[in-house]
Amino acid sequence: MKISRLAAAAAVAGSAVVVLASPALAHVSVQPEGTASQGGYALINFRVPNERDNATTTKLEVTFPLDTPLSSVMPEKLDGWKIDIVKSKLDKPLEVHGRQVSEAVSKVTWTATDGKGIPTGYIQQFPVSVGALPEKDQIVFKAIQTYSNKEVVRWIEVQADGAEEPEHPAPALALAAAEEGHGHGAAGAEDSDEKADEAGAKDAQAASKSTEAAGSDSDGTDTTARVLGVVGIVVGIAGVAYGVLAGRRRSDAAA
């Protein structure tokens, strides 16, 4: 009886978790793979659930903020989806790799090419590589989700500090503090890559020298073994010859 009661209680608790968690999973959100740090680059995923029983999600439009523009926005190719990228002029150009960048990506749109899109009860991830990330606590994107029945849901409401989550919250990407020693932006990333390459080259040279030394020792060992083997063979032949001659002398003396 106790076991059955515990099982029933666990089932009720589990269903409560599902019911409580479902509203939080019902809206479009954005999450990084790993950590998204200020001044760095990251791969982020826009997670889009289909919460309609009678329609599929066929389009997603994501607006990128131009008050903190990103110099690099590269969506990952997805089978069954067409990707359109829109760039806009910047009021203040960005300096990237020593050159001026006067425009940045302002919108990315994914459209289902097969007309099916995201079916009921599924979540689709739309990955995008972005950077350099601004020195802010978060980036807020605005997303528009379109269903096959022409219904449009606008996930554009920005949550105020200390306020409850709005009905249609805009996807927000939390940014961690910049990592020490990694620098900011593309220049820091390039410096780190160059240092890593130099270290790798040194390790490769050291490994090559170690291999050559090991090979030299091996060659020396092989040569010594061969010499000793030849000497042993010669000594053996000499011993046999001496034995034969000694036997003949004894035979002659006896005669």
Side-chain angles (χ1 to χ4, degrees):
M1 291 294 292
K2 290 183 179 180
I3 294 176
S4 61
R5 289 177 182 175
L6 288 174
V12 171
S15 63
V17 169
V18 171
V19 170
L20 291 175
S22 57
L25 296 175
H27 56 73
V28 175
S29 61
V30 59
Q31 296 292 334
E33 289 194 8
T35 302
S37 301
Q38 299 173 9
Y41 290 76
L43 179 64
I44 62 177
N45 291 294
F46 291 96
R47 294 168 54 88
V48 182
N50 182 18
E51 51 184 344
R52 297 291 183 269
D53 295 331
N54 60 346
T56 61
T57 295
T58 56
K59 181 187 288 187
L60 173 68
E61 301 172 66
V62 176
T63 300
F64 288 72
L66 291 180
D67 56 342
T68 54
L70 301 173
S71 61
S72 176
V73 175
M74 294 187 294
E76 182 177 312
K77 184 178 179 181
L78 289 177
D79 292 337
W81 295 86
K82 182 184 71 170
I83 303 175
D84 295 311
I85 301 174
V86 176
K87 293 184 177 182
S88 299
K89 285 284 186 180
L90 298 176
D91 295 334
K92 183 180 180 180
L94 297 174
E95 185 173 344
V96 181
H97 303 314
R99 61 185 179 88
Q100 296 291 319
V101 176
S102 59
E103 60 180 12
V105 172
S106 57
K107 181 186 291 186
V108 178
T109 302
W110 292 265
T111 305
T113 56
D114 56 6
K116 297 179 181 179
I118 309 172
T120 300
Y122 285 84
I123 290 178
Q124 175 74 50
Q125 292 196 141
F126 298 87
V128 184
S129 175
V130 296
L133 299 172
E135 296 184 2
K136 298 176 61 177
D137 293 334
Q138 67 174 7
I139 303 178
V140 178
F141 304 90
K142 294 184 177 181
I144 299 177
Q145 182 179 10
T146 302
Y147 290 91
S148 58
N149 60 2
K150 307 304 180 184
E151 179 186 1
V152 176
V153 181
R154 301 178 183 276
W155 306 98
I156 61 175
E157 299 175 5
V158 180
Q159 183 174 359
D161 293 338
E164 294 184 357
E165 184 179 71
E167 184 178 358
H168 298 97
L173 176 67
L175 300 179
E179 298 181 4
E180 295 182 2
H182 285 76
H184 293 277
E190 289 182 352
D191 291 343
S192 297
D193 291 341
E194 290 178 359
K195 291 179 181 178
D197 292 341
E198 291 177 0
K202 291 181 180 178
D203 292 342
Q205 291 176 357
S208 176
K209 292 180 179 178
S210 177
T211 303
E212 290 175 359
S216 177
D217 293 342
S218 178
D219 292 342
T221 302
D222 292 342
T223 301
T224 301
R226 290 172 183 171
V227 172
L228 292 176
V230 171
V231 171
I233 292 172
V234 172
V235 171
I237 294 172
V240 172
Y242 179 78
V244 171
L245 292 175
R248 287 180 179 179
R249 288 176 181 174
R250 289 187 188 131
S251 298
D252 293 342

